[in-house]
Amino acid sequence: MKKTNGVIAAGHPETVKAGLAIFGAGGNAFDVALACMLAACVTEPGLTSLAGGGFLLAHTNTNQNILFDFFTQTPHDKRPISNLDFYPVGVNFGTTIQDFHIGLGSMAVPGVWAGVMRVQETLGRLPLSVVAEPAIILARQGVEVNSFQAYTFSNLLQPILLTTAEGREIYAPNGDILRSGDRLIMTHFAQTLEVLVSGERREFYEGEIAQMLVQDCQEKGGHLTLKDLKNYTVIERTPLKIDYRGKTILTNPPPSSGGTLIAFALQLLSSLDLTNLKFGSSQHLHLLKTVMQFTNVARKERLDDYLHQVNIAEKFVSSFSSYQQPFIDAVNKWGSTTHISVLDQEGNAASVTTSNGEGSGYIIPGTGIMVNNMLGEEDLNPQGFHQWPENVRISSMMSPTLVLNQEHKPEIVLGSGGSNRIRTAILQVLLNLIDFKMSVEDAVNSPRVHWENHRFDIEPGFDPESVNTLDLSPQDVIRLWPEKNMFFGGVNTLVKTSDGQLLGAGDIRRNGVSLKS
């Protein structure tokens, strides 16, 4: 089969190389995205897993737009809290410690493997056995641990990764957590993936793997049952569509909230002329703070409690008019996850974001697959832990996003990891590309900010005078970060220029990489 030309941006060089191998085998953008998803389970195992959840936003060369929702689902039934294996661990981001809850009681119904199967059946060109081959080779031969992996293993996720004997076998084979330059080998995962792609696709949800997972849950304090696994389905949704500055932006619709919040922010900004705004100026920082502030207010008032209502995205985004004048007056006053973006020359585009949360610490015996901890993620449980409704899709901030030009062809492909910072990271990169006309490299790697709960987190690189002259209320706090940090997301981005060039940038905050075939 003839080689396909395309470009990939992802969180690890070996992830990108896995995708390039599939381009070389004649695969399309969707084959490549799946190959990268599977490879990322080896190259970024602290961030994603076959037992996690995610979304893939697809634009086909026949102008179909599909959002594949394979995010995690709440179980059908709750166990008494007193019977749960559910406990907190602190994850240290350097200047802030965030608590996450892990254990078998934190595990939601996983969706990544179901998503891989559905996308391949719907849009893939190559057999799944071919698509999975680079990931299987990586898992068996091993991946050299780089500085970012070593940081996540040692500084962030060590208490989670080393919870079980299976985890210690993978991440501390000689007694100490793997360090930069060591080799991460996932033999059991390679064997499991071979079984799954050899025709035993339902093994994960109905076979021996499912039986082991459910038995451990029932005996050791988890919620999951065979009913939960057998009834899990991938949902194909119509993407949320936003018009901004003459471009069409497609992103993740409800019940996930990230895309809807990005849409609301862009609606507010569309009323302003940003032509003469200078990046990094005090006016720019004030604008970002204000749009994030107003979006957060609107979210609490009009979105969080209504995410499962019909047409809630349209109702919420249209409500921007209630906030528009106060927003203009205020302006004039002057997150673990991984993302993969793929574009091919045939006109296909895939934007895929997956997550395992921080991981539950539990690895399905003999598989090398750690299950998610989505029921233990504070951001995903705004009503409090154990208050989730049964058997519903969990809302997520993940927002795989595409921008179409006036001919409805893909011009920008992006998305991000970063928990609650996903929406603000994507918003800033979109503004950098569309309003500030930056190159893709500068758009992704320019400094970022995040505003939430009266705290303004600011990366280095902005003019200190611009920061010092910000108009803040007495309860507002500025936190200046000493260096660019994964806290502010990882926006791996691709751009197709007007003359047909395919360009990409990986986010340096998460050692992102972009390469062309």
Side-chain angles (χ1 to χ4, degrees):
M1 194 176 288
K2 185 180 176 183
K3 171 189 171 183
T4 308
N5 290 320
V7 61
I8 308 162
H12 192 282
E14 294 295 339
T15 302
V16 175
K17 289 178 185 177
L20 291 178
I22 299 305
F23 267 146
N28 62 22
F30 310 112
D31 295 313
V32 170
L34 297 179
C36 291
M37 284 171 62
L38 296 174
C41 293
V42 182
T43 62
E44 300 177 88
L47 305 180
T48 188
S49 165
L50 290 189
F55 305 89
L56 187 148
L57 178 57
H59 174 88
T60 71
N61 55 12
T62 57
N63 285 337
Q64 277 185 292
N65 298 309
I66 309 169
L67 188 285
F68 293 89
D69 176 350
F70 45 91
F71 200 56
T72 52
Q73 184 101 350
T74 60
H76 281 77
D77 300 295
K78 292 182 181 180
R79 293 184 69 167
I81 296 174
S82 59
N83 294 346
L84 290 178
D85 176 42
F86 186 90
Y87 57 96
V89 293
V91 174
N92 187 352
F93 284 96
T95 62
T96 183
I97 295 177
Q98 189 171 355
D99 275 341
F100 296 95
H101 287 72
I102 67 171
L104 279 80
S106 71
M107 303 188 314
V109 187
V112 168
W113 178 244
V116 170
M117 291 191 290
R118 173 67 73 84
V119 174
Q120 194 272 334
E121 291 163 358
T122 308
L123 298 177
R125 177 186 293 161
L126 300 178
L128 193 52
S129 57
V130 174
V131 170
E133 188 62 26
I136 292 170
I137 292 171
L138 278 174
R140 182 165 285 124
Q141 295 182 354
V143 177
E144 184 175 317
V145 175
N146 62 26
S147 58
F148 177 70
Q149 284 177 312
Y151 169 74
T152 59
F153 292 169
S154 180
N155 292 45
L156 300 182
L157 302 178
Q158 183 165 181
I160 301 171
L161 298 176
L162 304 187
T163 297
T164 64
E166 289 94 339
R168 293 188 289 274
E169 182 181 342
I170 297 170
Y171 299 104
N174 298 314
D176 294 321
I177 194 87
L178 292 173
R179 304 182 190 282
S180 184
D182 290 342
R183 205 151 193 84
L184 170 67
I185 297 173
M186 301 178 70
T187 305
H188 287 152
F189 180 72
Q191 295 167 346
T192 301
L193 196 49
E194 282 181 325
V195 170
L196 290 174
V197 301
S198 67
E200 300 296 330
R201 298 188 182 192
R202 295 299 304 175
E203 167 72 17
F204 190 92
Y205 290 93
E206 297 179 17
E208 188 178 347
I209 292 174
Q211 299 282 352
M212 287 190 295
L213 171 57
V214 167
Q215 182 176 340
D216 280 345
C217 280
Q218 297 310 300
E219 293 178 358
K220 300 175 183 177
H223 295 283
L224 299 182
T225 65
L226 276 178
K227 179 182 178 183
D228 293 321
L229 297 174
K230 285 182 178 180
N231 290 339
Y232 183 85
T233 57
V234 177
I235 302 171
E236 294 183 20
R237 303 187 189 275
T238 301
L240 181 60
K241 184 184 292 187
I242 315 136
D243 293 320
Y244 183 73
R245 313 263 192 238
K247 300 182 186 297
T248 300
I249 298 175
L250 305 175
T251 190
N252 200 2
S256 287
S257 57
T260 306
L261 295 170
I262 291 170
F264 184 89
L266 289 171
Q267 283 281 38
L268 286 176
L269 290 166
S270 66
S271 60
L272 300 175
D273 181 0
L274 305 183
T275 308
N276 296 318
L277 185 68
K278 181 183 176 185
F279 181 89
S281 64
S282 58
Q283 291 92 339
H284 175 222
L285 290 176
H286 180 68
L287 175 71
L288 291 176
K289 176 186 86 73
T290 306
V291 75
M292 292 175 193
Q293 188 174 9
F294 272 74
T295 302
N296 285 350
V297 170
R299 175 191 180 187
K300 290 175 183 176
E301 292 179 351
R302 298 175 184 251
L303 185 63
D304 278 349
D305 293 337
Y306 310 101
L307 276 168
H308 291 275
Q309 280 190 6
V310 177
N311 297 326
I312 182 58
E314 291 78 6
K315 293 176 186 175
F316 177 72
V317 174
S318 64
S319 74
F320 85 96
S321 57
S322 303
Y323 300 87
Q324 189 169 30
Q325 194 56 51
F327 169 71
I328 292 172
D329 293 344
V331 168
N332 289 339
K333 189 183 163 192
W334 304 46
S336 298
T337 312
T338 189
H339 183 81
I340 298 158
S341 296
V342 185
L343 260 174
D344 67 30
Q345 284 286 16
E346 297 173 9
N348 300 303
S351 178
V352 53
T353 312
T354 61
S355 176
N356 206 35
E358 268 52 49
S360 62
Y362 169 80
I363 295 175
I364 305 171
T367 68
I369 299 172
M370 183 177 289
V371 183
N372 69 83
N373 71 319
M374 300 304 185
L375 300 181
E377 293 270 315
E378 187 175 359
D379 291 343
L380 303 183
N381 295 271
Q383 309 304 324
F385 296 125
H386 316 300
Q387 303 304 311
W388 40 267
E390 292 89 340
N391 193 33
V392 298
R393 267 301 194 275
I394 296 173
S395 177
S396 169
M397 277 295 160
M398 291 196 278
S399 309
T401 299
L402 300 174
V403 178
L404 308 182
N405 62 21
Q406 292 179 338
E407 287 76 46
H408 300 288
K409 301 300 181 186
E411 184 178 279
I412 302 169
V413 185
L414 77 165
S416 180
S419 189
N420 210 27
R421 280 80 59 195
I422 287 173
R423 59 193 165 90
T424 56
I426 293 172
L427 175 67
Q428 289 169 85
V429 175
L430 284 172
L431 296 181
N432 291 347
L433 289 166
I434 297 171
D435 286 304
F436 290 110
K437 314 290 187 198
M438 290 185 184
S439 69
V440 63
E441 190 72 40
D442 288 344
V444 168
N445 291 315
S446 289
R448 291 187 202 133
V449 301
H450 179 74
W451 169 273
E452 192 151 9
N453 297 328
H454 293 288
R455 192 179 72 208
F456 201 21
D457 288 285
I458 302 177
E459 283 190 311
F462 291 106
D463 181 0
E465 184 63 25
S466 298
V467 175
N468 293 335
T469 56
L470 277 169
D471 182 17
L472 301 173
S473 66
Q475 65 265 48
D476 293 340
V477 175
I478 290 179
R479 183 164 61 179
L480 299 175
W481 289 66
E483 57 188 17
K484 291 179 181 175
N485 190 280
M486 66 180 291
F487 177 85
F488 294 88
V491 189
N492 299 316
T493 304
L494 304 176
V495 169
K496 187 172 185 178
T497 64
S498 56
D499 60 358
Q501 291 185 73
L502 300 179
L503 307 174
D507 199 320
I508 58 174
R509 295 164 183 83
R510 298 186 177 216
N511 276 22
V513 177
S514 177
L515 293 171
K516 286 194 286 189
S517 64

